[in-house]
Amino acid sequence: MTKSIPSPAVGRSPLTTAPRIGWLRPALPGRDLPAPESAFRRAPLRALATAALVVTAAYLVWRTVATVDLAVWWVSVPLILLEYHAAAG
Protein backbone atom coordinates (compact mmCIF):
# COMPACT_ATOMS: atom_id res chain seq x y z
CA MET A 1 0.00 0.00 0.00
CA THR A 2 1.51 3.32 -1.06
CA LYS A 3 0.89 6.56 0.73
CA SER A 4 0.64 9.78 -1.26
CA ILE A 5 2.63 12.78 -0.09
CA PRO A 6 0.62 16.02 -0.04
CA SER A 7 1.78 18.90 -2.19
CA PRO A 8 3.75 21.60 -0.31
CA ALA A 9 1.29 24.24 -1.53
CA VAL A 10 -1.66 22.57 0.19
CA GLY A 11 -2.85 24.54 3.18
CA ARG A 12 -0.65 27.57 2.57
CA SER A 13 -1.99 31.04 2.05
CA PRO A 14 -1.30 32.64 -1.34
CA LEU A 15 1.59 35.05 -1.66
CA THR A 16 0.87 38.70 -1.08
CA THR A 17 0.32 40.95 -4.05
CA ALA A 18 2.38 43.80 -2.58
CA PRO A 19 4.90 45.55 -4.81
CA ARG A 20 8.12 43.61 -5.05
CA ILE A 21 11.79 44.48 -4.59
CA GLY A 22 13.77 42.36 -6.97
CA TRP A 23 11.89 39.24 -7.95
CA LEU A 24 11.83 37.17 -4.76
CA ARG A 25 10.85 39.29 -1.79
CA PRO A 26 7.73 41.35 -1.20
CA ALA A 27 8.41 45.03 -0.52
CA LEU A 28 8.81 46.19 3.04
CA PRO A 29 7.39 49.54 4.13
CA GLY A 30 9.90 52.36 3.73
CA ARG A 31 12.28 50.28 1.58
CA ASP A 32 11.75 52.01 -1.77
CA LEU A 33 14.59 52.93 -4.09
CA PRO A 34 16.58 56.00 -3.03
CA ALA A 35 16.16 59.27 -4.87
CA PRO A 36 18.55 59.73 -7.79
CA GLU A 37 21.68 61.76 -7.10
CA SER A 38 21.70 65.36 -8.19
CA ALA A 39 24.19 66.70 -10.71
CA PHE A 40 25.53 68.94 -7.92
CA ARG A 41 26.61 65.84 -5.97
CA ARG A 42 27.65 63.73 -8.96
CA ALA A 43 30.08 66.26 -10.49
CA PRO A 44 32.55 66.40 -7.54
CA LEU A 45 32.48 62.62 -7.21
CA ARG A 46 33.32 62.18 -10.89
CA ALA A 47 36.08 64.79 -10.59
CA LEU A 48 37.55 62.94 -7.61
CA ALA A 49 37.40 59.61 -9.46
CA THR A 50 39.06 61.14 -12.52
CA ALA A 51 41.79 62.68 -10.35
CA ALA A 52 42.41 59.28 -8.73
CA LEU A 53 42.80 57.66 -12.16
CA VAL A 54 45.21 60.36 -13.32
CA VAL A 55 47.32 60.08 -10.16
CA THR A 56 47.38 56.28 -10.46
CA ALA A 57 48.49 56.46 -14.10
CA ALA A 58 51.21 59.00 -13.24
CA TYR A 59 52.42 56.79 -10.38
CA LEU A 60 52.61 53.73 -12.64
CA VAL A 61 54.57 55.65 -15.28
CA TRP A 62 57.01 56.94 -12.64
CA ARG A 63 57.30 53.49 -11.08
CA THR A 64 58.04 51.89 -14.45
CA VAL A 65 60.52 54.51 -15.68
CA ALA A 66 62.35 55.50 -12.51
CA THR A 67 62.41 52.52 -10.19
CA VAL A 68 62.54 49.34 -12.30
CA ASP A 69 66.08 47.99 -12.28
CA LEU A 70 66.57 45.53 -15.12
CA ALA A 71 69.82 44.31 -13.56
CA VAL A 72 67.60 42.41 -11.11
CA TRP A 73 64.70 41.85 -13.48
CA TRP A 74 63.52 38.68 -11.67
CA VAL A 75 62.53 40.91 -8.76
CA SER A 76 61.56 44.22 -10.37
CA VAL A 77 59.47 42.90 -13.28
CA PRO A 78 57.13 40.75 -11.14
CA LEU A 79 56.75 43.63 -8.68
CA ILE A 80 55.84 46.13 -11.39
CA LEU A 81 53.39 43.62 -12.85
CA LEU A 82 51.80 43.33 -9.41
CA GLU A 83 51.54 47.12 -9.28
CA TYR A 84 49.72 47.16 -12.63
CA HIS A 85 47.48 44.32 -11.50
CA ALA A 86 46.59 46.17 -8.30
CA ALA A 87 45.83 49.35 -10.26
CA ALA A 88 43.55 47.46 -12.65
CA GLY A 89 41.77 45.64 -9.84
Side-chain angles (χ1 to χ4, degrees):
M1 176 182 238
T2 61
K3 194 174 192 181
S4 66
I5 299 173
S7 169
V10 173
R12 290 189 180 174
S13 63
L15 295 176
T16 62
T17 58
R20 300 171 70 84
I21 297 174
W23 59 281
L24 289 177
R25 298 178 287 158
L28 299 173
R31 298 287 301 241
D32 297 331
L33 292 175
E37 288 185 345
S38 67
F40 181 72
R41 177 176 165 80
R42 203 172 337 159
L45 290 175
R46 286 187 178 175
L48 181 64
T50 303
L53 290 173
V54 168
V55 168
T56 300
Y59 168 75
L60 289 174
V61 168
W62 168 79
R63 178 83 169 83
T64 303
V65 172
T67 66
V68 173
D69 184 10
L70 293 180
V72 285
W73 64 268
W74 59 91
V75 174
S76 59
V77 170
L79 288 177
I80 195 66
L81 290 176
L82 286 173
E83 293 267 2
Y84 276 99
H85 182 267

